[in-house]
Amino acid sequence: MLEEDGATDADHLVGEEPGSPARQPGGERAWAAAVMEPVRWVRMLCRELGATFVAGVVLVYGLSQGFAGSFFRVASDYYWKDVQRVQPATVQFLSVFFFVPWVLKPLWGVMTDVFPIHGYRRRPYFLFSGILGTVSAAIVAMATGLSVSSAVLCLVGISTAVAIADVTIDACIAKNSIDKPALAPDMQSLCAFSSSLGALIGYATSGMFVHHLGAQGALGVMAIPPATVVFLGFFIYELKTHQHNVKEKVINKVSGAVKGMVRTIKYPVVWKPSLYMFLSLALSISTHEGQFYWYTNKTPPNPGFSQEFVGLVHAIGAVASMVGVLIYHKCLKDYPFRSILFYAQLLYGVSGLLDLTFVLRWNLALGVPDAAFVTLEECVSRVVGRVRLMPMMVLSAKLCPPGAEGTFFALLMCIDSLGMLAAKAGGAAVLRALHVTRSDFGRLWLAVLLRNVLRLATLGAICLVPTADQTDVLVPRELLAASSPAAVSDDEEERLQLAKLTSHTDDV
């Protein structure tokens, strides 16, 4: 393993060396060097972390989460509105179930860590998640007259498939963040770039598919990403393990993993930022379904946006999200956690006023057309949202103790998912209390206003966030020194990590 200073030196490959062509003002060589900078960055990550690790992140975050997540958002919104014809508050409540598989991420983490199937720890779970997602998407797309409960079950199956596939990649990211802390922000940048690029493609094509195939037919596209996860299950290199007394070892490892999570979460340096991340997500109640029903309603004076335009606006937002990643990667990854999260949360609350302006139709009084204003609002919210999310992901990765990275990172992501679940449920309760329906949006502005006030109220908990830099080691020393009961042997650890698959021989 390279020393930390070696990883730091490698990180300079992302930038420009003194006297390199990229520092020459103007000229073809400077332009070419600027274009090749992302290539050099990816090559550095492949060399330092392994090409298969990079490929796995792109596949899971880019296709399975980015593309499928964005496509699902648009297609499912129209599915509930046009096919199932349910009220916005009901859709907001039903969306809570889609977060349940993410709340159960610690369970998936424990299963993939300590429950081998026929000697394999990773391949069977990738195969299972891929098959589950493909079958679920096919059923909801092809079945006619599907009941609401059956539709929810199928969509939860798609969400479960993505959550299980996500656990393995998250474990590798957490492990590499501990081994090479200087590259932790770069790994999160890779995840975010992949996710944003996939989201761009998903949003750009979703409106077109919904228009030509209908909302139900468009959901059939959701079968493609999990099908590629099946392929991932075959291409991951993993040696078959032969263990004796497997049952006893599994019980000991599960017990050790649970005790390790409880012991770690008790440390103030761990539970305080975890509580802040939960509050930051939970207090930002979701009013998405009410706003979606409002701006797609064709009755004047509602905007009445078309399916293609909705997809286009989200696609532009995905580009803005990538800009947010670039801003973080280039300008903000060296700032302390507390500083960047304070200003990001402040901007998050203030930028929400654009939603309020749009719902109250003040943009028309200012002479700004609906199409231009909603595009501006989407871009601002995506940039700010991404800048707010990135340091929280880095912070989560750095709170994981050695030897239990996958399980504990899954626990932190479970806490985040509980926050988002609470935001969805809170939004559903607010929409229902304010009587926002398919045709009555008179009090929608109150829901948006309450959401913005709660976002700003989160700033009162910023003291829970550590003042440490994003490259610092946050795990307590006693946890770093202790050997985790859930830890695996060195030869197993090497087999289980995508990052070590090619033993750093896959330079491009």
Side-chain angles (χ1 to χ4, degrees), residues 117-130:
I117 299 177
H118 296 294
Y120 294 103
R121 298 181 183 275
R122 295 300 186 242
R123 289 183 174 181
Y125 294 99
F126 272 109
L127 293 173
F128 171 75
S129 66

PDB file of all heavy atoms in Angstrom, residues 117-130:
ATOM      1  N   ILE A 117     -22.456 -17.598  -0.186  1.00  0.00           N
ATOM      2  CA  ILE A 117     -23.308 -18.577  -0.858  1.00  0.00           C
ATOM      3  C   ILE A 117     -22.433 -19.404  -1.784  1.00  0.00           C
ATOM      4  O   ILE A 117     -21.820 -18.873  -2.715  1.00  0.00           O
ATOM      5  CB  ILE A 117     -24.421 -17.870  -1.654  1.00  0.00           C
ATOM      6  CG1 ILE A 117     -25.310 -17.055  -0.706  1.00  0.00           C
ATOM      7  CG2 ILE A 117     -25.260 -18.893  -2.425  1.00  0.00           C
ATOM      8  CD1 ILE A 117     -26.394 -16.267  -1.415  1.00  0.00           C
ATOM      9  N   HIS A 118     -22.336 -20.695  -1.495  1.00  0.00           N
ATOM     10  CA  HIS A 118     -21.472 -21.594  -2.256  1.00  0.00           C
ATOM     11  C   HIS A 118     -20.034 -21.058  -2.306  1.00  0.00           C
ATOM     12  O   HIS A 118     -19.343 -21.185  -3.316  1.00  0.00           O
ATOM     13  CB  HIS A 118     -22.005 -21.805  -3.675  1.00  0.00           C
ATOM     14  CG  HIS A 118     -23.335 -22.502  -3.716  1.00  0.00           C
ATOM     15  ND1 HIS A 118     -23.493 -23.811  -3.306  1.00  0.00           N
ATOM     16  CD2 HIS A 118     -24.554 -22.064  -4.112  1.00  0.00           C
ATOM     17  CE1 HIS A 118     -24.763 -24.168  -3.445  1.00  0.00           C
ATOM     18  NE2 HIS A 118     -25.434 -23.126  -3.924  1.00  0.00           N
ATOM     19  N   GLY A 119     -19.598 -20.457  -1.202  1.00  0.00           N
ATOM     20  CA  GLY A 119     -18.230 -19.984  -1.111  1.00  0.00           C
ATOM     21  C   GLY A 119     -17.997 -18.590  -1.659  1.00  0.00           C
ATOM     22  O   GLY A 119     -16.871 -18.088  -1.579  1.00  0.00           O
ATOM     23  N   TYR A 120     -19.018 -17.934  -2.205  1.00  0.00           N
ATOM     24  CA  TYR A 120     -18.863 -16.591  -2.771  1.00  0.00           C
ATOM     25  C   TYR A 120     -19.630 -15.579  -1.924  1.00  0.00           C
ATOM     26  O   TYR A 120     -20.770 -15.826  -1.535  1.00  0.00           O
ATOM     27  CB  TYR A 120     -19.360 -16.549  -4.212  1.00  0.00           C
ATOM     28  CG  TYR A 120     -18.534 -17.372  -5.163  1.00  0.00           C
ATOM     29  CD1 TYR A 120     -18.975 -18.614  -5.611  1.00  0.00           C
ATOM     30  CD2 TYR A 120     -17.300 -16.907  -5.607  1.00  0.00           C
ATOM     31  CE1 TYR A 120     -18.208 -19.377  -6.476  1.00  0.00           C
ATOM     32  CE2 TYR A 120     -16.524 -17.655  -6.477  1.00  0.00           C
ATOM     33  CZ  TYR A 120     -16.979 -18.893  -6.906  1.00  0.00           C
ATOM     34  OH  TYR A 120     -16.214 -19.640  -7.760  1.00  0.00           O
ATOM     35  N   ARG A 121     -19.000 -14.430  -1.706  1.00  0.00           N
ATOM     36  CA  ARG A 121     -19.591 -13.395  -0.864  1.00  0.00           C
ATOM     37  C   ARG A 121     -20.221 -12.262  -1.668  1.00  0.00           C
ATOM     38  O   ARG A 121     -21.049 -11.532  -1.146  1.00  0.00           O
ATOM     39  CB  ARG A 121     -18.534 -12.806   0.077  1.00  0.00           C
ATOM     40  CG  ARG A 121     -17.935 -13.813   1.035  1.00  0.00           C
ATOM     41  CD  ARG A 121     -16.921 -13.133   1.940  1.00  0.00           C
ATOM     42  NE  ARG A 121     -16.291 -14.081   2.824  1.00  0.00           N
ATOM     43  CZ  ARG A 121     -16.790 -14.482   3.987  1.00  0.00           C
ATOM     44  NH1 ARG A 121     -17.954 -13.984   4.387  1.00  0.00           N
ATOM     45  NH2 ARG A 121     -16.164 -15.360   4.732  1.00  0.00           N
ATOM     46  N   ARG A 122     -19.783 -12.055  -2.889  1.00  0.00           N
ATOM     47  CA  ARG A 122     -20.245 -10.887  -3.647  1.00  0.00           C
ATOM     48  C   ARG A 122     -21.090 -11.278  -4.869  1.00  0.00           C
ATOM     49  O   ARG A 122     -22.146 -10.715  -5.102  1.00  0.00           O
ATOM     50  CB  ARG A 122     -19.032 -10.059  -4.112  1.00  0.00           C
ATOM     51  CG  ARG A 122     -18.227  -9.439  -2.963  1.00  0.00           C
ATOM     52  CD  ARG A 122     -19.075  -8.503  -2.125  1.00  0.00           C
ATOM     53  NE  ARG A 122     -18.283  -7.802  -1.132  1.00  0.00           N
ATOM     54  CZ  ARG A 122     -18.463  -7.910   0.177  1.00  0.00           C
ATOM     55  NH1 ARG A 122     -19.393  -8.711   0.639  1.00  0.00           N
ATOM     56  NH2 ARG A 122     -17.723  -7.222   1.019  1.00  0.00           N
ATOM     57  N   ARG A 123     -20.605 -12.232  -5.636  1.00  0.00           N
ATOM     58  CA  ARG A 123     -21.277 -12.579  -6.888  1.00  0.00           C
ATOM     59  C   ARG A 123     -22.754 -12.924  -6.713  1.00  0.00           C
ATOM     60  O   ARG A 123     -23.602 -12.434  -7.459  1.00  0.00           O
ATOM     61  CB  ARG A 123     -20.546 -13.734  -7.565  1.00  0.00           C
ATOM     62  CG  ARG A 123     -19.197 -13.356  -8.151  1.00  0.00           C
ATOM     63  CD  ARG A 123     -18.577 -14.534  -8.857  1.00  0.00           C
ATOM     64  NE  ARG A 123     -17.353 -14.152  -9.555  1.00  0.00           N
ATOM     65  CZ  ARG A 123     -16.625 -14.999 -10.260  1.00  0.00           C
ATOM     66  NH1 ARG A 123     -16.995 -16.273 -10.359  1.00  0.00           N
ATOM     67  NH2 ARG A 123     -15.532 -14.584 -10.873  1.00  0.00           N
ATOM     68  N   PRO A 124     -23.109 -13.785  -5.743  1.00  0.00           N
ATOM     69  CA  PRO A 124     -24.531 -14.160  -5.637  1.00  0.00           C
ATOM     70  C   PRO A 124     -25.446 -12.970  -5.374  1.00  0.00           C
ATOM     71  O   PRO A 124     -26.576 -12.942  -5.865  1.00  0.00           O
ATOM     72  CB  PRO A 124     -24.540 -15.132  -4.457  1.00  0.00           C
ATOM     73  CG  PRO A 124     -23.143 -15.661  -4.375  1.00  0.00           C
ATOM     74  CD  PRO A 124     -22.275 -14.504  -4.773  1.00  0.00           C
ATOM     75  N   TYR A 125     -24.965 -11.986  -4.622  1.00  0.00           N
ATOM     76  CA  TYR A 125     -25.824 -10.849  -4.288  1.00  0.00           C
ATOM     77  C   TYR A 125     -25.986  -9.895  -5.466  1.00  0.00           C
ATOM     78  O   TYR A 125     -27.047  -9.287  -5.642  1.00  0.00           O
ATOM     79  CB  TYR A 125     -25.279 -10.132  -3.055  1.00  0.00           C
ATOM     80  CG  TYR A 125     -25.353 -11.013  -1.827  1.00  0.00           C
ATOM     81  CD1 TYR A 125     -24.239 -11.708  -1.368  1.00  0.00           C
ATOM     82  CD2 TYR A 125     -26.560 -11.189  -1.156  1.00  0.00           C
ATOM     83  CE1 TYR A 125     -24.318 -12.537  -0.261  1.00  0.00           C
ATOM     84  CE2 TYR A 125     -26.648 -12.018  -0.057  1.00  0.00           C
ATOM     85  CZ  TYR A 125     -25.524 -12.692   0.400  1.00  0.00           C
ATOM     86  OH  TYR A 125     -25.619 -13.522   1.491  1.00  0.00           O
ATOM     87  N   PHE A 126     -24.932  -9.754  -6.266  1.00  0.00           N
ATOM     88  CA  PHE A 126     -25.087  -8.985  -7.498  1.00  0.00           C
ATOM     89  C   PHE A 126     -26.071  -9.679  -8.433  1.00  0.00           C
ATOM     90  O   PHE A 126     -26.927  -9.035  -9.046  1.00  0.00           O
ATOM     91  CB  PHE A 126     -23.742  -8.803  -8.191  1.00  0.00           C
ATOM     92  CG  PHE A 126     -22.981  -7.595  -7.728  1.00  0.00           C
ATOM     93  CD1 PHE A 126     -21.849  -7.728  -6.957  1.00  0.00           C
ATOM     94  CD2 PHE A 126     -23.405  -6.315  -8.062  1.00  0.00           C
ATOM     95  CE1 PHE A 126     -21.146  -6.614  -6.526  1.00  0.00           C
ATOM     96  CE2 PHE A 126     -22.715  -5.199  -7.639  1.00  0.00           C
ATOM     97  CZ  PHE A 126     -21.581  -5.351  -6.862  1.00  0.00           C
ATOM     98  N   LEU A 127     -25.936 -10.998  -8.569  1.00  0.00           N
ATOM     99  CA  LEU A 127     -26.839 -11.744  -9.443  1.00  0.00           C
ATOM    100  C   LEU A 127     -28.282 -11.650  -8.953  1.00  0.00           C
ATOM    101  O   LEU A 127     -29.213 -11.428  -9.733  1.00  0.00           O
ATOM    102  CB  LEU A 127     -26.395 -13.204  -9.518  1.00  0.00           C
ATOM    103  CG  LEU A 127     -25.059 -13.477 -10.213  1.00  0.00           C
ATOM    104  CD1 LEU A 127     -24.658 -14.942 -10.052  1.00  0.00           C
ATOM    105  CD2 LEU A 127     -25.146 -13.116 -11.689  1.00  0.00           C
ATOM    106  N   PHE A 128     -28.460 -11.802  -7.641  1.00  0.00           N
ATOM    107  CA  PHE A 128     -29.816 -11.730  -7.082  1.00  0.00           C
ATOM    108  C   PHE A 128     -30.434 -10.357  -7.305  1.00  0.00           C
ATOM    109  O   PHE A 128     -31.597 -10.248  -7.720  1.00  0.00           O
ATOM    110  CB  PHE A 128     -29.777 -12.057  -5.592  1.00  0.00           C
ATOM    111  CG  PHE A 128     -31.082 -11.790  -4.885  1.00  0.00           C
ATOM    112  CD1 PHE A 128     -32.168 -12.639  -5.051  1.00  0.00           C
ATOM    113  CD2 PHE A 128     -31.229 -10.683  -4.063  1.00  0.00           C
ATOM    114  CE1 PHE A 128     -33.379 -12.393  -4.411  1.00  0.00           C
ATOM    115  CE2 PHE A 128     -32.426 -10.426  -3.420  1.00  0.00           C
ATOM    116  CZ  PHE A 128     -33.506 -11.280  -3.592  1.00  0.00           C
ATOM    117  N   SER A 129     -29.674  -9.300  -7.021  1.00  0.00           N
ATOM    118  CA  SER A 129     -30.216  -7.951  -7.184  1.00  0.00           C
ATOM    119  C   SER A 129     -30.543  -7.661  -8.640  1.00  0.00           C
ATOM    120  O   SER A 129     -31.573  -7.038  -8.943  1.00  0.00           O
ATOM    121  CB  SER A 129     -29.217  -6.917  -6.653  1.00  0.00           C
ATOM    122  OG  SER A 129     -28.033  -6.897  -7.423  1.00  0.00           O
ATOM    123  N   GLY A 130     -29.688  -8.108  -9.557  1.00  0.00           N
ATOM    124  CA  GLY A 130     -29.939  -7.895 -10.976  1.00  0.00           C
ATOM    125  C   GLY A 130     -31.199  -8.589 -11.459  1.00  0.00           C
ATOM    126  O   GLY A 130     -32.017  -8.008 -12.182  1.00  0.00           O
TER     127      GLY A 130
END
